[in-house]
Amino acid sequence: MPLAINPILELPFTSFMPQASSNAQAEFLSHLEHGGILFLPNLGFEFAPSETRFLSPDWSDGQSKNIYLRGNNRTIKGAKGNVEELAAMSALIERYSSRATSLIAHLLPSYMPHAKLANSSLRCVEAAGRITSWRKDDRRLHADAFPSKPTAGTRILRVFTNVNPQNKPRVWNVGEPFADMAAKFLPKVPAYTPLQAKLINALGITKSLRGEYDHMMLHLHDLTKADAAYQANAPQMRVEFPANSSWVVYSDLVLHAVLSGQHMMEQTFHLPQESLTFSAASPKNILERLAKRAINC
Ligand SMILES: [Fe+2]
């Protein structure tokens, strides 16, 4: 079934320092916070000739799908190589991270006092071929939620750039609005119990205490991925992000399935609820409206 509204807003910019009017910036902000995608078809990320060697999946340590720098600890993870190679990979990812930060500063300047740098990644593994459990299978529609990392209501904003050297697109299906999905699945989410949250935190399953908001988000993630009929029949739209294009999205709000694609760079930002202009459109407020009560983070 097709989507009722096209979620893509196409922006013509060719620079990570795009000059936009304040009216245009306000439009970008509204589009993004209401579940749209900012798509920059002409914004690629340049590799130096000495860096193109890192477009091979062979640099992965085999444990992680990404080679990445954590938000707070910029030691390179997920890669193998000698000291010089790891330093060069790290510099490449750091350069992308600063470009992505510049992009957000220019498109969405009201976020800059609040945006916290999270993981910066180079992903060279083919998305279509990864063998995973259904829960980790990102080829199924889902909104992002992670079992071990409660967000406590902090939003997940992501900048992606397709850096495929063979001109292959990254292909997504984008699903229905979050509120429509949550209306179907929230009644199936089991009741939250603080005792269980304490237990799984004590066991080290979560890195911090999982509140009711993260409990709901994680169950919605799992319920949508596990429901074959929903995956087949839910409204969705195929979107191709060509090589040398970028896109910006709240991945905790926009239902997405990654069908195929290889070679991507990605920067995640964490944004507190207070930084939102249209907080009524956030997952937390949508869930509170559906539940008809406040939800603790
Ligand atoms: Fe995802």
Side-chain angles (χ1 to χ4, degrees):
M1 195 191 297
L3 289 185
I5 297 170
N6 184 347
I8 303 292
L9 179 63
E10 202 168 306
L11 309 182
F13 304 116
T14 56
S15 157
F16 282 94
M17 295 185 288
Q19 300 302 313
S21 68
S22 53
N23 280 350
Q25 290 167 345
E27 186 193 357
F28 305 157
L29 190 68
S30 174
H31 187 76
L32 198 64
E33 290 194 14
H34 287 98
I37 297 173
L38 303 180
F39 172 43
L40 298 103
N42 306 310
L43 185 59
F45 176 70
E46 297 267 324
F47 279 53
S50 63
E51 291 171 334
T52 54
R53 59 187 161 149
F54 299 131
L55 287 167
S56 162
D58 295 344
W59 295 97
S60 165
D61 67 1
Q63 310 291 311
S64 168
K65 64 183 178 183
N66 295 325
I67 294 171
Y68 64 100
L69 307 173
R70 284 216 180 96
N72 52 359
N73 172 358
R74 306 302 274 175
T75 310
I76 195 159
K77 305 276 186 195
K80 62 184 180 200
N82 64 31
V83 172
E84 179 273 324
E85 291 160 345
L86 292 174
M89 266 183 262
S90 186
L92 166 70
I93 298 170
E94 207 64 271
R95 193 171 78 249
Y96 179 75
S97 175
S98 68
R99 297 279 194 286
T101 303
S102 167
L103 184 68
I104 296 301
H106 285 79
L107 294 180
L108 308 154
S110 67
Y111 282 171
M112 285 324 285
H114 314 282
K116 208 170 143 207
L117 197 70
N119 284 10
S120 319
S121 308
L122 167 65
R123 191 177 299 182
C124 290
V125 180
E126 167 60 54
R130 283 204 309 267
I131 300 165
T132 54
S133 68
W134 65 266
R135 186 174 277 121
K136 288 184 179 172
D137 186 356
D138 289 340
R139 295 168 297 184
R140 302 175 190 218
L141 279 172
H142 66 283
D144 282 351
F146 302 104
S148 66
K149 293 185 282 187
T151 63
T154 298
R155 301 295 309 281
I156 304 170
L157 179 67
R158 296 187 136 160
V159 178
F160 298 97
T161 300
N162 182 346
V163 293
N164 185 280
Q166 286 103 30
N167 262 337
K168 280 192 203 157
R170 194 161 190 90
V171 184
W172 280 18
N173 273 342
V174 177
E176 63 183 339
F178 183 93
D180 295 352
M181 176 278 292
K184 293 178 184 113
F185 289 101
L186 191 59
K188 299 177 184 176
V189 172
Y192 173 74
T193 59
L195 189 64
Q196 189 190 25
K198 280 183 193 158
L199 185 66
I200 60 174
N201 195 37
L203 291 171
I205 295 169
T206 53
K207 290 179 179 153
S208 57
L209 205 61
R210 185 190 292 158
E212 187 175 19
Y213 170 72
D214 283 295
H215 168 83
M216 287 177 166
M217 291 295 284
L218 191 58
H219 276 282
L220 292 174
H221 170 276
D222 290 356
L223 285 163
T224 49
K225 278 190 175 175
D227 190 328
Y230 180 77
Q231 293 294 326
N233 304 322
Q236 51 199 292
M237 178 177 135
R238 182 184 164 98
V239 180
E240 292 200 0
F241 300 105
N244 302 311
S245 73
S246 300
W247 60 107
V248 184
V249 60
Y250 270 114
S251 64
D252 54 358
L253 178 65
V254 174
L255 285 151
H256 57 283
V258 184
L259 304 186
S260 66
Q262 188 179 4
H263 306 103
M264 182 183 74
M265 303 212 65
E266 183 259 337
Q267 176 62 56
T268 301
F269 297 93
H270 290 156
L271 282 140
Q273 290 280 334
E274 310 83 77
S275 64
L276 304 174
T277 299
F278 304 96
S279 58
S282 74
K284 178 172 183 283
N285 287 38
I286 290 169
L287 294 175
E288 287 183 331
R289 278 200 299 282
L290 289 169
K292 298 188 173 65
R293 61 183 175 81
I295 295 167
N296 291 327
C297 287

Coordinates of all heavy atoms in Angstrom, one line a residue, residues 65 138 142-146 158 160 172 221 225 251 254 256-258, ligand 1:
K65 N 29.2 -4.4 12.5 CA 28.8 -4.0 11.1 C 29.4 -2.7 10.7 O 29.5 -2.3 9.5 CB 27.3 -4.1 10.9 CG 26.5 -3.1 11.7 CD 25.0 -3.3 11.4 CE 24.2 -2.2 12.3 NZ 22.8 -2.4 12.1
D138 N 17.5 -5.3 9.8 CA 17.1 -4.0 9.4 C 16.4 -3.9 8.1 O 16.1 -2.8 7.6 CB 18.3 -3.0 9.5 CG 18.6 -2.8 11.0 OD1 17.8 -3.0 11.9 OD2 19.8 -2.3 11.3
H142 N 11.0 -0.7 10.8 CA 11.1 -0.5 12.2 C 11.5 1.0 12.5 O 11.9 1.7 11.6 CB 12.3 -1.3 12.8 CG 13.6 -0.9 12.3 ND1 14.1 -1.3 11.0 CD2 14.6 -0.2 12.8 CE1 15.3 -0.8 10.8 NE2 15.6 -0.1 11.9
A143 N 11.2 1.5 13.7 CA 11.8 2.7 14.2 C 12.9 2.3 15.1 O 12.7 1.3 15.9 CB 10.7 3.5 14.9
D144 N 14.0 3.0 15.1 CA 15.1 2.6 15.9 C 14.9 2.6 17.4 O 14.3 3.6 18.0 CB 16.3 3.6 15.6 CG 17.0 3.2 14.3 OD1 16.7 2.2 13.7 OD2 17.9 4.0 13.9
A145 N 15.3 1.5 18.1 CA 15.3 1.4 19.5 C 16.3 0.3 19.8 O 16.3 -0.7 19.1 CB 13.9 1.0 20.0
F146 N 17.1 0.5 20.8 CA 18.2 -0.5 21.1 C 18.1 -1.1 22.5 O 17.9 -0.4 23.4 CB 19.5 0.3 20.9 CG 19.7 0.9 19.5 CD1 19.5 2.3 19.3 CD2 19.9 0.1 18.4 CE1 19.5 2.9 18.1 CE2 19.9 0.7 17.1 CZ 19.8 2.0 17.0
R158 N 19.9 11.3 12.6 CA 21.0 10.7 11.9 C 21.3 11.4 10.5 O 20.3 11.8 9.8 CB 20.8 9.3 11.6 CG 20.7 8.5 12.9 CD 20.6 7.0 12.8 NE 21.5 6.4 13.7 CZ 21.5 5.2 14.1 NH1 20.6 4.4 13.6 NH2 22.3 4.7 15.0
F160 N 23.2 10.6 7.0 CA 23.7 9.5 6.2 C 24.3 10.0 4.9 O 23.7 10.9 4.3 CB 22.7 8.4 5.8 CG 22.0 7.8 6.9 CD1 20.8 8.2 7.4 CD2 22.6 6.6 7.5 CE1 20.1 7.5 8.5 CE2 21.9 6.0 8.6 CZ 20.7 6.4 9.0
W172 N 15.8 2.1 0.6 CA 15.0 2.0 1.8 C 13.6 1.8 1.4 O 13.1 2.2 0.3 CB 15.1 3.2 2.7 CG 16.2 3.5 3.5 CD1 17.5 2.8 3.5 CD2 16.3 4.4 4.6 NE1 18.3 3.4 4.4 CE2 17.6 4.3 5.2 CE3 15.4 5.3 5.2 CZ2 18.0 5.1 6.2 CZ3 15.9 6.1 6.3 CH2 17.2 6.0 6.8
H221 N 9.5 -1.6 18.3 CA 10.5 -2.1 17.3 C 10.4 -3.6 17.1 O 10.4 -4.0 15.9 CB 11.9 -1.7 17.9 CG 13.1 -2.3 17.2 ND1 13.5 -3.6 17.4 CD2 13.9 -1.8 16.2 CE1 14.6 -3.8 16.6 NE2 14.8 -2.8 15.9
K225 N 8.9 -5.6 13.6 CA 9.8 -6.5 12.9 C 9.3 -7.9 12.9 O 9.4 -8.7 11.9 CB 11.2 -6.5 13.5 CG 12.0 -5.3 13.0 CD 13.5 -5.4 13.4 CE 14.4 -4.3 12.9 NZ 15.7 -4.4 13.4
S251 N 15.6 8.7 13.1 CA 15.4 7.3 12.9 C 14.6 6.6 14.0 O 14.2 5.5 13.9 CB 16.7 6.6 12.7 OG 17.5 6.7 13.9
V254 N 10.9 7.8 12.1 CA 10.6 7.4 10.7 C 10.7 5.9 10.6 O 11.8 5.3 10.9 CB 11.5 8.1 9.7 CG1 11.3 7.5 8.3 CG2 11.3 9.6 9.7
H256 N 11.6 2.7 8.9 CA 12.5 2.4 7.7 C 12.9 1.0 7.7 O 13.0 0.3 8.7 CB 13.7 3.4 7.8 CG 14.5 3.2 9.0 ND1 14.1 3.8 10.3 CD2 15.7 2.6 9.3 CE1 15.0 3.5 11.2 NE2 15.9 2.8 10.7
A257 N 13.1 0.5 6.5 CA 13.7 -0.8 6.2 C 14.8 -0.6 5.2 O 14.6 0.0 4.2 CB 12.6 -1.7 5.6
V258 N 16.0 -1.1 5.5 CA 17.2 -1.0 4.6 C 17.2 -2.2 3.7 O 17.5 -3.3 4.2 CB 18.5 -0.9 5.4 CG1 19.6 -0.6 4.5 CG2 18.4 0.3 6.4
Ligands
FE1 FE 17.2 1.4 11.8

